Amino acid sequence: MILAAEQENVFSLHLDEFVFGLIAFLVLLGIVYKMWPKMMAALDERANQIEGGIERAKKAEAEAEEARQQYREKLEEAHRQYAAELEKAKEQRAAIIAEAREEAQVEARRIIDAAHAQIEADRQHALAQLRAEIGTLSTDLAERIVGETLQDSAAQNRVIDRFLAELEQAESSQQAEVR
């Protein structure tokens, strides 16, 4: 058992403890007083670093958005240039095709004209051969009918010309009758 005299009052103040506590409090208060500006400066610096980091992040994001926008513009420009080049190529293709067609038509006309000229030359040649053969035949026929020889070339030419003129008149009158 504990005697009453030995029981201490819990709320009683001991001077040595009070002095020691007061000194410790004052030392702690002095340390805090000395350290307070440094702590506040460190906290302010940290807050500034965080705000600066946020600001840098916003700036970097804005730069990234600007770069993205420039990329989009360049991409759109590249698409426009591609479309323009494609259109230009289509126009060139059409021009080349038109030029090739024109050259083909010119060449076809030249070939047709050459063919017509060749046909006309062949026709004239055939007509000359036919005239010579008709002349020979008509001379032979005239010699048989008349009974005299037509050795004279001038006489032969007169007979041939008269015979061909009669043929042409008969032919033109037949064509007039058909019409």
Side-chain angles (χ1 to χ4, degrees):
M1 276 204 187
I2 303 179
L3 297 172
E6 292 182 9
Q7 281 186 341
E8 278 187 52
N9 188 358
V10 182
F11 292 112
S12 69
L13 210 53
H14 295 285
L15 188 59
D16 59 339
E17 288 179 1
F18 178 72
V19 172
F20 180 74
L22 184 62
I23 292 172
F25 179 73
L26 289 176
V27 169
L28 186 60
L29 187 63
I31 291 173
V32 168
Y33 180 74
K34 289 277 187 184
M35 296 300 285
W36 186 258
K38 291 181 181 178
M39 284 188 342
M40 290 309 286
L43 287 176
D44 287 342
E45 185 180 331
R46 181 70 179 145
N48 288 339
Q49 285 178 349
I50 291 172
E51 287 176 5
I54 291 172
E55 195 62 37
R56 284 190 304 273
K58 285 180 181 178
K59 188 183 277 186
E61 185 178 347
E63 289 174 358
E65 182 60 34
E66 184 179 329
R68 198 175 308 125
Q69 184 64 28
Q70 288 176 351
Y71 170 75
R72 285 186 195 129
E73 289 172 1
K74 286 181 181 178
L75 187 62
E76 288 173 2
E77 179 63 26
H79 283 297
R80 282 192 295 274
Q81 287 178 351
Y82 172 75
E85 289 296 323
L86 187 61
E87 187 64 30
K88 188 176 179 182
K90 285 180 182 178
E91 289 172 2
Q92 286 178 346
R93 183 187 76 187
I96 289 170
I97 289 172
E99 184 178 333
R101 275 192 187 130
E102 187 176 321
E103 287 176 7
Q105 287 175 349
V106 166
E107 183 66 17
R109 273 189 240 118
R110 187 190 65 77
I111 290 171
I112 289 171
D113 291 344
H116 283 301
Q118 183 64 37
I119 290 171
E120 183 60 29
D122 289 346
R123 186 178 153 288
Q124 291 297 331
H125 184 262
L127 190 59
Q129 281 183 339
L130 183 63
R131 187 177 199 123
E133 285 184 32
I134 289 176
T136 305
L137 289 175
S138 63
T139 304
D140 289 344
L141 183 63
E143 285 177 355
R144 287 184 187 165
I145 293 174
V146 174
E148 48 181 90
T149 62
L150 296 174
Q151 295 297 328
D152 182 14
S153 67
Q156 282 181 357
N157 285 339
R158 280 193 309 272
V159 170
I160 292 169
D161 289 339
R162 191 173 19 138
F163 180 72
L164 289 176
E166 289 174 5
L167 279 178
E168 287 176 2
Q169 283 179 350
E171 191 176 294
S172 60
S173 65
Q174 283 179 353
Q175 287 179 357
E177 289 175 8
V178 171
R179 291 183 188 166

